[in-house]
Amino acid sequence: MVNRFGRFRSAQVRSLTGKYPRSVAGQVFALQVAVVVLLVAAAVLALVVQSRHDSSAEARSRSIAVAQTFAHSPGLLAALKAPDPSKVLQPLTEAGRKAAGVDFIVVTDKQGIRYTHPRPDLIGKRFVGTIEPSLAGRVYTESVNGPLGREVQAIVPVHDHARVVALVAAGMKVKHVTGVVARQIPIILGAGAVALGVATSGTALVARRLRRQTHRLGPAEMTRMYEHHDAVLHAVREGVLITSEDGRLLLANDEARRLLELPLDAEGRYISDLPSLDPGMVELLTSGRAATDEVLLAGSTLLAVNQRSTDRHGGPQGTVATLRDSTELRALSGRAENARERLRLLYDAGLGIGTTLDVVRTAEELTKIAVPRLADFVTVDLADPVLHGDEPTGTNMDMRRTAVRGIRDDHPLYELGQLIGFLPSTPQARAFATGRPELVPDLSAAPGWLAQDPERTRMIVHYGIHSLITVPLQARGVILGMAEFWRSEKPQPFEEDDLSLAEELVARAAVSIDNARRYTREHVMAVTLQRSLLPRALPEQSALDVAHRYLPALSGVSGDWFDVIPLPGSRVALVVGDVVGHGLHAAATMGRLRTAVHNFSTLDLPPDEILSHLDDLIGRIDQEEAETTADAGIIGATCLYAIYDPVSRHCAMARAGHPLPALVRPDGSVSFPDLPAGPPLGLGGMPFETAELEVAEGTQLVLYTDGLIEDRTRDIDVGIELLRQALACHPDRSPEESCQAVLDALLPGRPKDDVALLIARTRAIPPDRVADWDVPFDPAAVAGTRAVVAEKLDDWGLSELAFATELVISELITNAIRYASAPVTVRLLYDRTLTCEVADSSSTSPHLRHAAVMDEGGRGLFLVARLTERWGTRYTPRGKVLWAEMSLPRSGGSADGTAWSDILDAEL
């Protein structure tokens, strides 16, 4: 029965091993595990022996140390001389034994009789051990069977003046010594187990990597693989070469031998000694450098060579190269590469041509794209009207050279900016007439082109330019100019493929040039319209010294505007505004707003009421455009309106969504007054507020639009700080100089948005040029007022105006007393004109009318209108002011305005 089971078990094992034969990696793994186990076992045994030896040595050392310490302790000799040494020493030895960690400390006399012992019943009995060496003065250690069992003890003599008087023995039981070793064995075994586990894991990982690298191939499979190695190597249609580090040919398959025409004994020889190899091939194979599809010549065959180092994955030093015949593939890939390059050129042209709405820049972009990828030199000639935004006439062949680019700058082609008239026999003229491109393969054999300018064309041919393609720049059926492509470096002339590519490039550029031309026309029209709507000259006035700047945007005009409007009483209104949007519509809206501001200013309203009227106006404009145009956008604008009075030096300001103005005080400090913001014009429904400031004489008021301080590359706070720095610390600088300094600091280049800048330095009318009186509310007071007015005019040297001024004052005061209410005041203002003002507390305004022949009254305001340059009514919070301005006498003695004869002859 047992034999049958053994035979069955052996057959089963043979079956398993035959089905799953142990691989080399498995055998190596088992051997490594066995070696690791033996090494760990030997290490554990050695550690146990060493640990026991070290523990015994430690026990002896501790016993000796304890015994010596107690033998030399103070008071031991005195205790030995006591009548009862055991009574004194027994407590001390027990305390020392426990503190030192030993099993016993025994003190004996020279005969070995114990004074102390852990067991008190053994005191007075003889010590078990060898005492002779210690009596001789030496320290002696031994292992004995004592009262406590097997003991390791040390015996130390006690000296009294070099004489041994007693002995001290200390020791430990052997089981305690071996217990230390027993406690260390689990640690040692655990460390050995961990080491075994780590070694086993590492071995398993290495074995697994080995199995993965060999794809679990056994010896038979590996043998079959190497048997087929040569067959596979020599059957591939790609040459394989393996060279050593010193340049020897180690292996060459049949395809490599055929491609390189290697001799039969080539393997083992140096690469440089093989005569059939091309020098380039020798250099590559001996250099050891990496190569990827590097094309080399081998006889008449083009080979694509790839080379890599063989030591990249731990192999021996050397290189492996593969060779592939690419003669036919090279020709096909060359044509494919040309097609890809053409497509890439067209793609780049779509991105690089027409990036700006500038005619000249677009022409330059065409030349930049085409040189040198299509031609060595490219020129663009445009009709003069195109450069100014107009359409060409279509009959004139004179063109302006707009762009030139080439691989060199010393070319003899026509210079940039030259006006060229092409003869009818030239390719340019034929292309212009037919609208189709022209290809001239050989310029030296083109008599029509040579006749254009014989001297220059001869220079062009001698320079090496030999082929030409000329393509008309045509958009919407209109020829805008010509583009010429010149070849000099390549000996081959232009081909039909080049002609189609040039035609495609020019077609794209022509559309961009036409767009830029139309934009230029609209831009010029918008700029012209806007400049015509802006003030061409500032009015004369004495309250402010004003300077201004207006800069249109780089990409188009918008609705920025400014204005200086004289008001009655030597006051001046300053206006700066910005209409949302760009183009003609924004410029036209700006013109309407500027006209409205002038009209509203004649009403002499406060700034907040002016802005309210403008807000209503823009709301009506939006409504009108919404009713007429479905896609009309909402119009919006910002505005700042300020009124400066040189008499009181007060400035009233209100703003509608506009940036804060800057004030430059006479000491050079700059501030931005905190004015109520107010909504932008056109929103409606929100009130505006007026803020009044008292400004010192010489203060500069700086009004501007947002294009001055806003920029995409910086925050608005940065722009305001730059404006502050440009204005600060220059109190004596004129407004004109301040304008230029601000633009230099904030706008070093062409602005991207329109900029309007207005800087006004305030002046003040001297007090001796202003006179005012309170008039009693009585018609009889008119005569007295006329007298003091005449006296003041004499003081000012204006006696020639006394008669007219008295009439005007009389009529205005009489009108106020008759139709208004008290109080009534009179003010004379001597400035560029003589201004007469009569104020009362009524809000009723008189009106000029023509009196009938039989009417007794109604002619007073008529006389005022005839005697003065202007007159009107200004409303105040306390009533109204009737004012009239009279021209000052000329240097010849007469006054401007209406002649006295006209007044006397007038029908009253």
Side-chain angles (χ1 to χ4, degrees), residues 6 39 53 66 97 124 148 165 169 194 231 274 403 458 467 589 648 764 809:
L39 290 176
H53 176 269
V66 172
R97 175 181 68 80
L148 302 178
V165 297
V194 171
L274 299 176
R458 186 169 56 254
S467 187
T589 304
S648 62
I809 289 293

Side-chain angles (χ1 to χ4, degrees), residues 284-297:
L284 175 61
L285 296 178
T286 57
S287 65
R289 60 182 173 87
T292 302
D293 288 339
E294 189 169 325
V295 178
L296 298 175
L297 186 65

